[in-house]
């Protein structure tokens, strides 16, 4: 892939069977892989592979190779490997020559020993997503992001070829390799997948730039936040919250934890958190109560969190969070990734190694109390007339560092603001041991966002993680 970066990009062949190219959304979703044709099904191992059918949106074929004893052999699929439901006619696909596949998924006995659950899926550009025990699919990851949320167009590199090591009988982990390519980048990736209550995916990414890139995004995460307890303006819905994840957590090298609740803004909102050699970051779904979602189909309380833990030194850079306006839950409107400070010119090379931890609770432990809820509403007294420049923010913290304190403990807020001022604030202990900070904030200008930093202190030392927020628009 390094050698390829010195040559011009060659897109996938435009030759594509007409019967596949003309597939509509409804026709494509009527095709499913025949589980009896799963790769490695008859070898008695812990992994099985099923392919996704090309066509509809997936017109750039992906090549697949099986690696046995260090040698790679191509794996081909035909129409006989798939089941064609109505409105399709199976005979139309009987003798078709597949140019490749759209992607694939690995199955593994994740939740019970008897059933091969879906474990990880690679489908579309460099997108993939995985599950921990008891999860249902939610956020996605990507191999690389190129020029996301800049003035010009975004570039979407794609995994064009995969090499999968044939899993040994009884193997607990799975290893595969991928080639990544686009007009301005190439990449060589190694993935080591370790299923469990939290599924760990170890990534070794070698990235080579063909041309200059304005913003390189490492370990990109893509999620959905429509509305939640802190931001539901304009949504008339019986469900209290609709989101795959509710916050961005950043663990700094010095142990400080930054929690940023997600929002669905009125306009594109970008936030940058400058770091050096970060200990980790991720998009989390902390709220696990069904009562807070009330959705028996989407099961948002079971969506996975995803934690990124760097292994090598990532140097100086920024964690970028992009929040994009969305009016439906079908849109992934949240993006987060690491932006290295330097080395995005043509000819530069990068190596990033990191762990991805997918599951119900992958974030690292801490003695600090965590943010457990964020609420907002119009400022002032309950009976006062709303003032667009005044808003109330209610932040609740919970954890051992707070639960043992009495209501008279000298807990104080550490609060800083940009483009706003505090009109009224207090901290109080709630029943059950959580603590609440209540802030009435007046903004300087309705067109300029107010930036918050808040933590609770005891005797001058932080006893909670740091809550960060941006007030723009109405919420």
């Amino acid at each position: 892939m390094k050698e390829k970066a010195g040559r011009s990009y060659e897109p996938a062949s435009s030759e594509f069977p007409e019967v596949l190219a003309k597939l509509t959304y409804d026709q494509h979703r009527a095709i499913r892989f025949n589980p009896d044709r799963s790769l490695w099904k008859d070898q008695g191992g812990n992994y099985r592979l099923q392919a996704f059918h090309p066509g509809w949106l997936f017109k750039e074929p992906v090549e697949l190779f099986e690696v046995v004893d260090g040698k790679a052999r191509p794996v081909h699929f035909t129409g006989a490997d798939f089941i064609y439901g109505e409105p399709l006619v199976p005979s139309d696909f009987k003798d078709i020559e597949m140019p490749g596949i759209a992607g694939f998924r690995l199955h593994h006995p994740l939740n019970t020993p008897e059933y091969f659950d879906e474990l990880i899926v690679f489908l579309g550009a460099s997108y993939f997503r995985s599950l921990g025990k008891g999860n249902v699919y939610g956020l996605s990851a990507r191999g690389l992001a190129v020029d996301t949320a800049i003035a010009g167009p975004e570039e979407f590199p794609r995994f064009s070829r995969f090499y999968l090591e044939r899993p040994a009988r009884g193997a607990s982990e799975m290893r595969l390799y991928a080639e990544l390519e686009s007009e301005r980048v190439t990449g060589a990736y190694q993935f080591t997948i370790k299923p469990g209550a939290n599924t760990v995916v170890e990534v070794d990414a070698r990235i080579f730039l063909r041309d200059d890139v304005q913003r390189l995004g490492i370990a990109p995460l893509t999620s959905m936040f429509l509305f939640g307890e802190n931001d539901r303006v304009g949504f008339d819905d019986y469900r209290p919250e609709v989101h795959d994840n509710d916050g961005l957590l950043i663990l700094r090298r010095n142990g400080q934890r930054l929690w940023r609740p997600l929002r669905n803004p009125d306009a594109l909102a970008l936030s940058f958190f400058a770091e050096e050699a970060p200990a980790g970051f991720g998009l989390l779904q902390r709220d696990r109560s069904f009562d807070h979602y009330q959705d028996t189909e989407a099961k948002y309380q079971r969506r996975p969190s995803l934690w990124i833990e760097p292994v090598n030194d990532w140097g100086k850079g920024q964690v970028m969070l992009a929040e994009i306006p969305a009016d439906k839950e079908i849109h992934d409107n949240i993006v987060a990734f690491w932006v290295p400070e330097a080395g995005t010119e043509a000819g530069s090379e990068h190596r990033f190694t990191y762990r991805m931890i997918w599951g119900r609770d992958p974030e690292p432990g801490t003695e600090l109390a965590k943010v457990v809820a964020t609420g907002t509403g119009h400022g002032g007294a309950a009976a006062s007339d709303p003032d667009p420049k005044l808003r109330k923010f209610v932040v609740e913290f919970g954890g051992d560092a707070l639960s043992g304190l009495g209501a008279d403990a000298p807990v104080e807020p550490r609060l800083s603001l940009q483009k706003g001022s505090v009109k009224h604030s207090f901290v109080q202990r709630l029943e059950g041991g959580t603590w609440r900070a209540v802030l009435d904030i007046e903004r300087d200008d309705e067109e300029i966002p107010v930036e918050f930093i808040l933590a609770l202190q005891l005797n001058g030392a932080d006893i909670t993680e740091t809550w960060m927020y941006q007030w723009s628009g109405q919420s």
Side-chain angles (χ1 to χ4, degrees):
M1 299 313 293
K2 179 178 180 179
E3 189 273 335
K4 256 191 174 183
R7 306 196 306 263
S8 298
Y9 174 57
E10 297 179 6
S13 172
S14 58
E15 296 182 8
F16 201 75
E18 185 177 5
V19 67
L20 301 182
K22 294 174 65 176
L23 286 173
T24 66
Y25 167 75
D26 288 328
Q27 290 173 330
H28 190 264
R29 69 193 300 263
I31 306 172
R32 62 187 182 91
F33 192 85
N34 184 348
D36 291 335
R37 310 276 294 196
S38 299
L39 187 64
W40 308 316
K41 178 179 182 295
D42 299 323
Q43 296 181 10
N46 289 330
Y47 293 90
R48 296 175 184 175
L49 181 144
Q50 297 184 9
F52 289 102
H53 199 282
W56 182 48
L57 295 179
F58 307 104
K59 298 177 182 178
E60 294 182 302
V62 173
E63 297 180 72
L64 198 65
F65 294 80
E66 182 186 25
V67 180
V68 181
D69 297 329
K71 296 182 179 181
R73 68 168 186 87
V75 179
H76 294 296
F77 295 93
T78 70
D81 295 308
F82 296 88
I83 298 171
Y84 298 88
E86 296 182 353
L88 296 173
V89 179
S91 60
D92 292 344
F93 301 86
K94 180 180 179 181
D95 299 319
I96 193 167
E97 183 66 28
M98 294 281 183
I101 57 175
F104 65 92
R105 61 191 177 201
L106 291 175
H107 292 244
H108 176 83
L110 183 64
N111 294 298
T112 65
E114 298 80 20
Y115 185 77
F116 279 73
D117 304 280
E118 286 191 39
L119 173 66
I120 191 168
V121 169
F122 290 84
L123 180 64
S126 68
Y127 283 90
F128 62 100
R129 55 184 183 170
S130 187
L131 299 169
K133 189 173 183 179
N135 288 148
V136 297
Y137 280 126
L139 82 166
S140 300
R142 282 188 279 169
L144 193 67
V146 176
D147 285 351
T148 302
I150 66 168
E154 181 172 0
E155 186 173 304
F156 290 90
R158 61 184 292 265
F159 288 133
S160 57
R161 182 177 290 180
F162 288 91
Y163 303 83
L164 296 96
E165 292 186 359
R166 178 189 291 177
R169 182 184 293 269
S172 60
E173 62 184 53
M174 176 79 198
R175 180 168 294 149
L176 58 95
Y177 309 86
E179 296 182 8
L180 177 136
E181 193 168 5
S182 68
E183 291 185 6
R184 287 180 288 168
V185 301
T186 69
Y189 284 69
Q190 175 183 283
F191 298 92
T192 303
I193 304 160
K194 302 178 180 181
N198 289 318
T199 291
V200 177
V201 180
E202 297 178 347
V203 183
D204 189 344
R206 300 290 298 273
I207 300 162
F208 310 97
L209 271 60
R210 282 185 162 118
D211 204 345
D212 296 347
V213 171
Q214 184 173 333
R215 178 177 292 154
L216 194 65
I218 306 301
L221 315 181
T222 304
S223 187
M224 181 276 294
F225 184 95
L226 191 65
F227 60 86
E229 60 194 5
N230 61 304
D231 183 8
R232 57 176 296 123
V233 175
F235 290 97
D236 184 15
D237 198 304
Y238 79 94
R239 298 169 297 176
E241 303 184 47
V242 173
H243 51 72
D244 286 339
N245 301 98
D246 51 17
L248 168 70
L249 178 66
I250 299 172
L251 179 59
R252 312 189 78 176
R253 184 172 56 174
N254 64 2
Q256 185 182 24
R257 296 163 64 99
L258 310 178
W259 175 254
R260 168 64 155 75
L262 299 178
R263 299 172 52 247
N264 182 357
D266 298 330
L268 173 65
L270 301 180
S271 299
F272 297 89
F273 306 90
E275 301 293 331
E276 182 174 359
F281 70 95
L283 292 177
L284 308 183
Q285 184 79 316
R286 277 186 172 173
D287 192 337
R288 294 295 181 184
S289 172
F290 167 77
D291 290 342
H292 294 178
Y293 301 99
Q294 293 292 325
D295 194 322
T296 56
E297 181 179 358
K299 299 181 177 64
Y300 288 112
Q301 74 279 3
R302 293 175 56 189
R303 302 293 172 107
S305 298
L306 176 51
W307 181 248
I308 304 297
E309 185 178 87
V311 174
N312 65 340
D313 184 356
W314 285 17
K316 292 182 179 181
Q318 300 169 317
V319 176
M320 190 193 96
L321 173 66
E323 297 165 300
I324 305 164
D327 59 358
K328 295 181 178 65
E329 60 203 275
I330 58 173
H331 301 303
D332 285 340
N333 62 322
I334 303 296
V335 180
F337 50 70
W338 173 255
V339 182
E341 184 178 273
T344 59
E345 68 281 352
S348 62
E349 302 178 11
H350 299 267
R351 184 172 191 172
F352 291 93
T353 57
Y354 53 97
R355 297 183 188 92
M356 312 180 76
I357 307 174
W358 305 73
R360 180 182 175 88
D361 186 22
E363 65 177 284
T366 179
E367 295 181 354
L368 298 172
K370 300 178 182 179
V371 177
V372 297
T374 299
T376 70
H378 75 79
S384 63
D385 293 330
D387 178 349
K389 280 195 171 185
L390 188 66
R391 193 158 186 85
K392 190 181 299 292
F393 295 86
V394 179
V395 187
E396 294 184 12
F397 298 86
D400 293 343
L402 287 170
S403 60
L405 300 177
D408 58 348
V411 176
E412 298 287 341
R414 174 176 63 81
L415 174 65
S416 64
L417 294 172
Q418 292 183 11
K419 306 301 181 181
S421 57
V422 181
K423 292 303 176 184
H424 179 64
S425 69
F426 63 91
V427 175
Q428 62 182 173
R429 186 183 190 276
L430 305 180
E431 292 184 12
T434 60
W435 284 69
R436 170 183 285 178
V438 180
L439 313 170
D440 272 328
I441 305 299
E442 183 176 66
R443 57 183 172 187
D444 297 342
D445 189 317
E446 293 183 41
E447 303 300 322
I448 302 177
V450 180
E451 299 283 352
F452 297 75
I453 298 177
L454 169 70
L456 299 187
Q457 294 190 324
L458 182 65
N459 300 323
D462 286 1
I463 56 173
T464 70
E465 63 187 9
T466 301
W467 175 84
M468 306 183 75
Y469 204 70
Q470 184 182 83
W471 172 22
S472 61
Q474 300 180 63
S475 60

